[in-house]
């Protein structure tokens, strides 16, 4: 029964890009899982491999050049080894994705209506009229004003926030099992960000989806996700229910990240930043990826990569795991 | 859109007058007295002098310019000193052949260019791509008169498939006369369309919206034809517009090599004869045509790109 609860399970995922400077190890052995109906937040600094991991789930990376290892099980079936036909059936129907850049993610020469209808015409046995009627309904669901008018508009006539709503409508068109959201609000104004997050949360419940939301913003995580995975240098360094992570962060990197959020209570409003730079993905450290920047570094940390280990009590059946020798 | 076209037409007027004046001056600077050339080697000095007087060649420069320009602006392109026919009637007679050649050339080079460009883009880095891109470089770097001569040698002299002289006459099918000049244009002009198509398809395939299309579950063919090509149409239409201009320009050289009596041949012959009125009339006509073609391209461009079309409707 426990296995059944997992809709998506990633085991030992590695993604490498050979480049002229060397092999980029964008994802370096990531294991995580997504439960049915759950919202999982994936947080980490820019360049730590979040988008690459998400794109691998949809098999959107061109491989070669990318070299992908490990397995990504969707309902027990490995997406990475799936035949093309099966993949094309799942993509856009059962697993859908919204992207980081709403401004450029819609085709500039096709009207909104047909762009949304296209997905339904592809995956469902419906007529064009039915598809555009559904597209209209979807636009209303994502709370676009003048939805009817919007169907006949081109992307450049819409603001970034509206385009992201259209992207969400498109992602929901076939009632997916899993929605992957890659920094859905990063490119938007703060007020719009809050609206989009609220919308995602509402729709996730209405559609009974599982959602994986990637961000470098802990505020977003706190807002929508039930569980968090912390990424650093292509590795998962900590995994915990959201509350537990905010209350008792165990990894020094997570602590650093939390220290970076400005609290209303701190008068100075200065950000505490983690000293040092993100690791170069071409030249990842042998030991713990965070060791070079870690205030609690010991010899063992430099020599051996720590594995994710379970710590503390499981909260509501959800584990708190951390990859740190010192925790 | 209407205002835009009007605006473009208004700037076209000084351009055409400028071309007219430039050609006037250049022709007068080129050595060679038209009277002497037209009357031939045996003409006496008196005959030449009389001819110059009659045709207004002895007037001072500014007067000559004024007279010519005045006539030009009222739509009178003058009369050929050689054939004594009006320039307009000469152009009317020759134009259909040039248009025929240019349009076939444009149509086929666009078709070939776009198809090969797409093929090269989807086989990027593999042998069809290398073959096509290599061929295109050759096509671009060979001058069109050279291609024309080689085709004439091969198809005309060696294989005897086509007549060596391209003047239409009884018993020779139009196809045989057209094929070599059109092929010359296709070889020379499709390369540009091909490169543009290839690079814009490749560029667009890297765009974010292509990833969106793939994420919808579309297969590669649907992504290419349903999404990438629609967006690539904009740069392709632009290059086809340039090509249309290029085809009319190229026709001048190609018609000369194939002795095909079109506008280009008319112009080259007139230059050799120092037939001032014909040179001026034809160049002015060609420049008006090129301006019209460019304007047409811009209008079509606007029709393809919704971003331009909608802005234009608003303003
Ligand atoms: N196609 C590629 N070829 C080479 N390197 C790549 C490629 N795609 C990504 N990378 C590298 O992989 C690493 C991870 O990139 P990724 O886009 O996943 O970061 P991210 O966590 O999503 O960051 P951001 O918050 O900026 O979106 C980066 O160092 C990036 O330069
Ligand atoms: Mg990213």
């Amino acid at each position: 029964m426990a296995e059944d609860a997992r809709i998506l399970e990633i085991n030992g995922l590695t993604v490498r890009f050979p480049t002229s400077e060397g092999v980029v190890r964008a994802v370096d052995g990531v294991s995580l899982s997504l439960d049915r109906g759950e919202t999982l937040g994936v947080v980490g600094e820019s360049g730590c491999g979040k988008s690459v991991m998400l794109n691998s789930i949809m098999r959107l990376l061109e491989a070669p050049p990318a070299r992908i290892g490990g397995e990504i099980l969707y309902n027990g079936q490995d997406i990475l080894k799936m035949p093309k036909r099966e993949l094309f059936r799942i993509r856009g129907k059962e697993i859908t994705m919204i992207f980081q850049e709403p401004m450029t993610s819609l085709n500039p020469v096709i009207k909104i209506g047909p762009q949304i209808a296209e997905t339904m015409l592809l995956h469902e046995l419906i007529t064009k009229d039915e598809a555009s009627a559904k597209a209209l309904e979807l636009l209303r669901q994502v709370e676009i004003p003048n939805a009817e008018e919007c169907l006949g508009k081109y992307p450049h006539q819409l603001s970034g926030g509206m385009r992201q709503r259209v992207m969400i409508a498109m992602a929901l068109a076939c009632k997916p099992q899993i929605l992957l959201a890659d920094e859905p609000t990063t490119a938007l104004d703060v007020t719009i960000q809050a609206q989009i997050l609220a919308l995602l949360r509402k729709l996730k419940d209405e559609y009974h989806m599982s959602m994986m939301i990637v961000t470098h913003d802990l505020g977003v995580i706190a807002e929508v996700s039930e569980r968090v995975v912390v990424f650093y240098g292509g590795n998962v360094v900590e995994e915990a229910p959201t509350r537990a992570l905010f209350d008792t962060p165990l990894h020094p990197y997570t602590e650093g990240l939390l220290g970076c959020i400005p609290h209303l209570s701190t008068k100075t409003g200065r950000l505490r930043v983690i000293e040092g730079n993100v690791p170069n993905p071409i030249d990842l450290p042998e030991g713990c990826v965070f060791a070079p920047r870690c205030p609690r570094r010991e010899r063992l940390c430099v020599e051996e990569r720590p594995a994710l280990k379970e710590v503390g009590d499981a909260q509501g059946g959800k584990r708190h795991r951390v990859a740190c020798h010192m925790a | 859109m209407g205002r835009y076209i009007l605006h473009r037409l208004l700037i076209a007027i000084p351009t055409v007058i400028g071309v007219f004046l430039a050609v006037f001056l250049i022709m007068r600077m080129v050595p060679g007295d038209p009277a002497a050339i037209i009357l031939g080697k045996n003409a006496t000095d008196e005959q030449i002098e009389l001819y110059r007087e009659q045709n207004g060649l002895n007037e001072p420069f500014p007067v000559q310019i004024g007279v010519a320009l005045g006539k030009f602006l009222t739509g009178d392109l003058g009369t050929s000193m050689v054939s004594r026919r009006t320039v307009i009637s000469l152009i009317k007679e020759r134009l259909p052949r040039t248009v025929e050649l240019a349009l076939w050339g444009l149509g086929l080079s666009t078709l070939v260019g776009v198809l090969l460009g797409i093929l090269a883009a989807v086989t990027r880095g593999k042998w069809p791509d290398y073959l096509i891109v290599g061929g295109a470089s050759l096509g671009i770097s060979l001058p069109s008169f050279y291609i024309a001569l080689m085709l004439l040698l091969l198809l005309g002299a060696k294989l005897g498939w086509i007549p060596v002289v391209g003047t239409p006459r009884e018993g020779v099918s139009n196809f045989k006369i057209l094929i070599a000049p059109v092929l010359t244009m296709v070889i020379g002009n499709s390369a540009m369309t091909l490169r543009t198509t290839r690079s814009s398809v490749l560029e667009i395939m890297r765009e974010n919206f292509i990833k969106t299309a793939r994420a919808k579950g579309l297969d590669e063919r649907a992504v290419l034809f349903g999404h990438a090509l629609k967006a690539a149409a904009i740069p392709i239409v632009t290059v086809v517009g340039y090509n249309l201009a290029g085809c009319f320009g190229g026709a001048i050289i190609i018609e000369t090599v194939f002795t095909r009596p079109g506008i280009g041949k008319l112009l080259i012959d007139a230059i050799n004869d120092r037939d001032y009125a014909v040179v001026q009339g034809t160049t002015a006509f060609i420049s008006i045509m090129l301006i019209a073609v460019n304007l047409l391209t811009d209008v079509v461009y606007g029709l393809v790109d919704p971003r331009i079309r909608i802005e234009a409707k608003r303003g």
Side-chain angles (χ1 to χ4, degrees):
Chain A
M1 263 335 262
E3 279 306 294
D4 231 1
R6 292 188 180 166
I7 190 160
L8 193 76
E9 188 173 338
I10 300 179
N11 291 321
L13 180 71
T14 58
V15 182
R16 312 212 155 132
F17 299 100
T19 65
S20 50
E21 284 105 70
V23 177
V24 174
R25 284 153 74 181
V27 176
D28 200 32
V30 161
S31 300
L32 54 84
S33 62
L34 178 68
D35 290 350
R36 262 172 230 286
E38 179 189 43
T39 302
L40 177 70
V42 176
V43 68
E45 280 169 286
S46 188
C48 67
K50 306 179 301 284
S51 295
V52 169
M53 191 260 299
L54 225 53
N55 284 316
S56 319
I57 298 175
M58 290 281 268
R59 238 166 95 181
L60 285 171
L61 297 174
E62 226 179 302
R67 294 207 305 265
I68 306 176
E71 56 179 18
I72 300 175
L73 302 176
Y74 167 65
N75 284 331
Q77 210 187 349
D78 190 353
I79 292 177
L80 295 176
K81 297 208 176 69
M82 203 174 259
K84 275 261 159 79
R85 274 187 59 167
E86 184 65 6
L87 176 71
F88 286 136
R89 195 184 64 75
I90 287 178
R91 259 191 199 169
K93 182 169 194 291
E94 297 184 14
I95 307 181
T96 61
M97 186 161 172
I98 50 184
F99 298 95
Q100 205 163 343
E101 308 88 0
M103 297 310 277
T104 53
S105 292
L106 291 165
N107 192 323
V109 297
I110 302 177
K111 288 179 182 163
I112 301 296
Q115 286 201 57
I116 299 175
E118 186 177 27
T119 319
M120 293 179 274
L121 289 168
L122 183 69
H123 295 291
E124 291 168 8
L125 282 171
I126 54 172
T127 64
K128 270 193 171 174
D129 286 345
E130 286 167 336
S132 61
K134 274 194 166 179
L136 179 64
E137 194 187 316
L138 283 162
L139 286 181
R140 293 209 174 107
Q141 271 182 357
V142 296
E143 294 161 11
I144 285 190
N146 300 328
E148 205 132 352
E149 209 178 298
C150 181
L151 284 176
K153 284 189 171 170
Y154 286 96
H156 76 272
Q157 294 171 287
L158 305 179
S159 68
M162 286 302 143
R163 288 189 213 186
Q164 197 61 298
R165 284 171 196 266
V166 170
M167 287 297 294
I168 295 171
M170 223 151 80
L172 295 178
C174 295
K175 301 197 166 39
Q177 300 290 310
I178 301 179
L179 176 65
L180 306 171
D182 190 358
E183 311 212 21
T185 59
T186 305
L188 307 173
D189 292 344
V190 184
T191 45
I192 312 288
Q193 279 187 14
Q195 292 171 9
I196 296 283
L197 285 180
L199 179 69
L200 279 175
R201 217 171 30 195
K202 181 192 94 177
L203 291 169
K204 193 220 126 203
D205 288 340
E206 278 175 22
Y207 279 77
H208 310 292
M209 299 180 289
S210 313
M211 188 157 91
M212 201 186 281
I213 184 163
V214 159
T215 175
H216 55 242
D217 185 345
L218 280 165
V220 171
I221 295 285
E223 187 86 7
V224 293
S225 66
E226 294 145 20
R227 208 157 57 88
V228 193
V229 167
V230 181
F231 256 59
Y232 185 81
N235 280 257
V236 173
V237 295
E238 187 162 1
E239 179 196 318
T242 308
R243 273 237 62 114
L245 190 93
F246 279 82
D247 290 348
T248 52
L250 293 173
H251 199 279
Y253 174 66
T254 317
E255 283 175 21
L257 268 188
L258 289 168
C260 287
I261 312 183
H263 287 283
L264 290 174
S265 54
T266 55
K267 291 246 162 57
T268 52
R270 287 243 317 268
L271 289 178
R272 241 182 64 203
V273 282
I274 309 168
E275 270 176 46
N277 291 318
V278 288
N280 179 355
I282 291 179
D283 197 17
L284 285 181
E286 278 281 309
C288 173
V289 274
F290 188 60
R293 292 166 85 182
C294 186
R296 281 186 247 148
R297 175 186 53 222
E298 305 265 330
R299 246 189 73 190
L300 180 63
C301 303
V302 187
E303 282 166 0
E304 195 184 310
R305 178 87 48 102
L308 268 179
K309 62 181 177 212
E310 222 150 311
V311 277
D313 299 329
Q315 269 189 8
K318 306 254 159 109
R319 302 162 299 177
H320 192 155
R321 300 200 298 170
V322 64
C324 179
H325 291 303
M326 300 299 128
Chain B
M1 201 62 159
R3 252 172 74 190
Y4 172 71
I5 294 174
L6 188 72
H7 175 75
R8 288 284 302 265
L9 287 177
L10 284 178
I11 8 182
I13 294 172
T15 313
V16 173
I17 292 178
V19 169
F20 187 82
L21 291 178
V23 171
F24 188 95
L25 292 175
I26 290 168
M27 280 312 288
R28 294 323 190 262
M29 281 190 281
V30 181
D33 181 356
I37 293 172
I38 286 161
L39 297 177
K41 282 210 177 87
N42 300 329
T44 61
D45 283 355
E46 289 81 50
Q47 282 173 312
I48 289 176
E49 192 51 34
L50 182 68
Y51 186 89
R52 291 185 62 87
E53 197 59 48
Q54 281 170 346
N55 286 283
L57 295 171
N58 281 338
E59 304 290 337
F61 242 48
V63 176
Q64 285 192 35
I65 292 182
V67 169
L69 195 58
K71 280 187 178 170
F72 175 61
L73 291 181
T74 56
D76 178 2
L77 294 184
T79 309
S80 163
M81 289 187 282
V82 179
S83 66
R84 291 282 152 207
R85 292 177 53 194
T86 62
V87 176
I88 291 191
S89 73
L90 285 172
I91 291 177
K92 254 192 206 149
E93 180 186 284
R94 304 293 192 93
L95 185 62
R97 290 210 193 87
T98 303
V99 170
E100 187 184 31
L101 173 58
L103 290 186
W104 273 107
L106 179 77
L108 285 182
S109 58
T110 303
L111 191 71
V112 169
V114 169
L115 290 181
L116 289 182
I118 295 172
L119 185 61
V122 297
T123 60
R124 180 196 45 174
K126 302 196 186 104
W127 65 265
D129 180 31
Y130 290 132
L131 206 67
I132 292 168
V133 171
S137 308
L138 205 64
I140 274 189
S141 50
L142 290 178
S144 69
F145 70 84
Y146 180 79
I147 300 173
L149 283 174
M150 287 302 119
L151 281 176
L152 205 54
L153 267 177
L154 182 71
L155 300 180
K158 253 221 162 84
L159 299 171
W161 290 350
I162 57 162
V164 177
V165 173
T167 316
R169 68 205 120 91
E170 289 288 316
V172 181
S173 76
N174 197 29
F175 172 77
K176 280 194 169 172
I177 290 171
L178 256 179
I179 179 80
V182 167
L183 264 182
T184 310
M185 278 196 178
V186 170
I187 293 172
N189 284 8
S190 58
M192 200 64 193
T193 316
L194 187 160
R195 283 181 174 186
T196 310
T197 305
R198 178 181 180 275
S199 66
S200 46
V201 168
L202 283 180
E203 196 175 307
I204 281 164
M205 290 304 273
R206 280 195 296 268
E207 295 271 354
N208 284 326
F209 65 82
I210 292 298
K211 206 179 189 186
T212 307
R214 290 203 179 109
K216 282 177 171 178
L218 295 168
D219 58 22
E220 272 313 289
R221 182 193 297 210
V223 170
L224 178 70
F225 288 99
H227 285 266
L229 283 185
K230 266 190 194 147
I234 296 159
I236 294 173
V237 166
T238 320
V239 81
V240 169
Y242 287 128
N243 263 345
L244 179 52
C247 283
F248 276 105
I252 294 175
I253 292 166
I254 293 173
E255 282 173 356
T256 311
V257 178
F258 290 102
T259 47
R260 184 181 164 82
I263 297 271
K265 183 97 174 33
L266 178 68
L267 176 62
I268 297 288
D269 288 345
I271 291 173
N272 288 334
D273 291 341
R274 303 290 185 276
D275 196 346
Y276 290 163
V278 177
V279 175
Q280 258 152 239
T282 333
T283 45
F285 178 77
I286 292 173
S287 57
I288 290 172
M289 212 154 65
L290 291 186
I291 287 169
V293 164
N294 283 332
L295 184 56
L296 186 75
T297 312
D298 283 359
V299 172
V300 173
Y301 190 87
L303 292 181
V304 181
D305 189 343
R307 282 160 296 196
I308 297 180
R309 182 170 67 228
I310 286 157
E311 290 314 306
K313 241 188 246 161
R314 241 185 248 147

